[in-house]
Amino acid sequence: MAATRVLTAAAATTQPTSCFLSKRAFLLPAKTSSLALSFNRRALVLKSKRPFSCSAIYNPQTKVQEEGQSETLDYRVFFLDGGSGKKVSPWHDIPLTLGDGVFNFIVEIPKESKAKMEVATDEDYTPIKQDTKKGKLRYYPYNINWNYGLLPQTWEDPSQANPEVEGAFGDNDPVDVVEIGEAQRKIGEVLKIKPLAALAMIDEGELDWKIVAISLDDPKAHLVNDVDDVEKHFPGTLTAIRDWFRDYKIPDGKPANRFGLGDKPANKDYALKIIHETNESWAKLVKRSVDAGDLSLF
């Protein structure tokens, strides 16, 4: 029997939630039905000639439903709309931005664990699963020391080269987040975070951004607002994150990953620029303005 637990994706607010970070964002009215929005987007995916409409769940409370046994090939963590109980996509249906520089972050890998969990971008409703290689479950060689996951409604376009990072192309995934707070979170938990810095990792030639952020409910969240604050209040953390992601493949006989931007973390404004650009890429993806390939759009 599938286990279900309830996680709040966003606290109640009187402000409209925007799917896009552009100045002319489509704003979701507070009275809009989340179920209707969910159906709207799926209909648009199936009928790509219709005009695109932003359809993230407004102010969602999501339930997380685990199917199968953890650390098996069949294990999945699905997201359910708290009102209707219908399956929704953590990648497409949970809004990216909550306004005032606050974003939703979905935990895939809790800190101090090493099972390589990720959103299954090629499966319906994009549940979280454990990554595999040659039919075997993947693990990091050692624990990751921070909560790790993704920003919903972002996508690193593999057809776009970034001239600021050695012309590297996107890795075809949502943008990754490294959350540096003290608490160990749960798989599928949705946190409100503020970005602090960005690292431009290059993994086998592909650009794989790491947004360094902190959950707003962390005791030190009020102390950190930009990259320099991280160095002051979390000394050595940015270097440790860079070194961890640079070296984690070496025990498997692979070369170290590299980092662009002079091997240094970029500041908050640059991180926000990356989030904005990858949100726009996601919008093009779900509008089918670019080839989705094997990616699931619902």
Side-chain angles (χ1 to χ4, degrees):
M1 186 174 180
T4 303
R5 49 192 166 93
V6 179
L7 296 170
T8 302
T13 175
T14 58
Q15 297 297 321
T17 300
S18 168
C19 277
F20 310 116
L21 300 181
S22 58
K23 293 181 180 179
R24 299 183 64 184
F26 183 98
L27 297 179
L28 298 176
K31 294 182 180 180
T32 305
S33 162
S34 63
L35 181 57
L37 289 168
S38 179
F39 284 160
N40 278 344
R41 186 175 59 74
R42 286 172 178 78
L44 288 166
V45 168
L46 294 174
K47 299 179 180 180
S48 58
K49 293 183 180 180
R50 291 179 59 184
F52 172 72
S53 173
C54 173
S55 60
I57 298 171
Y58 179 77
N59 251 354
Q61 184 181 60
T62 59
K63 297 178 180 178
V64 175
Q65 178 174 287
E66 299 173 282
E67 298 185 4
Q69 197 71 29
S70 63
E71 299 191 58
T72 68
L73 294 173
D74 296 329
Y75 181 67
R76 298 291 185 276
V77 178
F78 284 96
F79 287 67
L80 310 180
D81 174 54
S84 68
K86 299 286 187 180
K87 286 181 178 178
V88 295
S89 165
W91 182 18
H92 300 306
D93 288 323
I94 292 177
L96 168 63
T97 177
L98 298 170
D100 296 324
V102 178
F103 299 85
N104 277 322
F105 157 59
I106 301 164
V107 179
E108 295 169 303
I109 306 173
K111 68 185 296 184
E112 305 308 331
S113 66
K114 62 179 182 178
K116 194 175 184 303
M117 310 299 295
E118 63 180 18
V119 162
T121 57
D122 59 350
E123 297 184 12
D124 291 354
Y125 302 104
T126 63
I128 296 174
K129 69 171 186 178
Q130 189 166 351
D131 190 21
T132 60
K133 185 174 183 179
K134 297 181 179 179
K136 294 184 179 180
L137 298 172
R138 293 188 66 188
Y139 294 86
Y140 290 121
Y142 32 72
N143 286 352
I144 189 168
N145 306 127
W146 312 274
N147 297 299
Y148 188 58
L150 73 138
L151 288 173
Q153 298 185 340
T154 61
W155 179 57
E156 299 192 50
D157 187 345
S159 70
Q160 295 296 315
N162 190 315
E164 297 177 4
V165 189
E166 303 180 17
F169 291 83
D171 70 349
N172 202 32
D173 282 326
V175 171
D176 297 327
V177 171
V178 183
E179 194 277 318
I180 62 174
E182 67 177 20
Q184 183 188 50
R185 305 297 184 155
K186 296 179 179 179
I187 296 174
E189 194 168 353
V190 183
L191 305 178
K192 291 184 288 187
I193 57 137
K194 55 180 176 181
L196 304 169
L199 287 162
M201 191 175 91
I202 302 170
D203 182 355
E204 298 181 10
E206 295 180 337
L207 181 55
D208 186 2
W209 286 105
K210 308 298 179 190
I211 302 297
V212 179
I214 192 166
S215 178
L216 295 191
D217 63 1
D218 188 82
K220 289 187 176 181
H222 69 288
L223 298 174
V224 288
N225 294 292
D226 212 326
V227 64
D228 292 337
D229 299 326
V230 180
E231 291 292 357
K232 180 178 179 180
H233 296 286
F234 295 82
T237 295
L238 291 170
T239 298
I241 292 171
R242 183 198 61 198
D243 292 353
W244 195 97
F245 283 99
R246 181 192 64 201
D247 298 339
Y248 79 89
K249 290 186 175 182
I250 293 176
D252 293 330
K254 294 185 177 181
N257 290 319
R258 297 185 296 110
F259 286 85
L261 304 180
D263 212 36
K264 297 178 180 179
N267 64 15
K268 177 180 180 175
D269 285 343
Y270 199 96
L272 292 174
K273 180 175 86 80
I274 296 307
I275 294 170
H276 176 91
E277 291 173 352
T278 55
N279 175 242
E280 288 186 333
S281 294
W282 169 84
K284 293 175 183 177
L285 176 70
V286 295
K287 285 188 294 185
R288 291 189 180 272
S289 298
V290 294
D291 183 18
D294 294 330
L295 297 175
S296 173
L297 300 185
F298 62 93

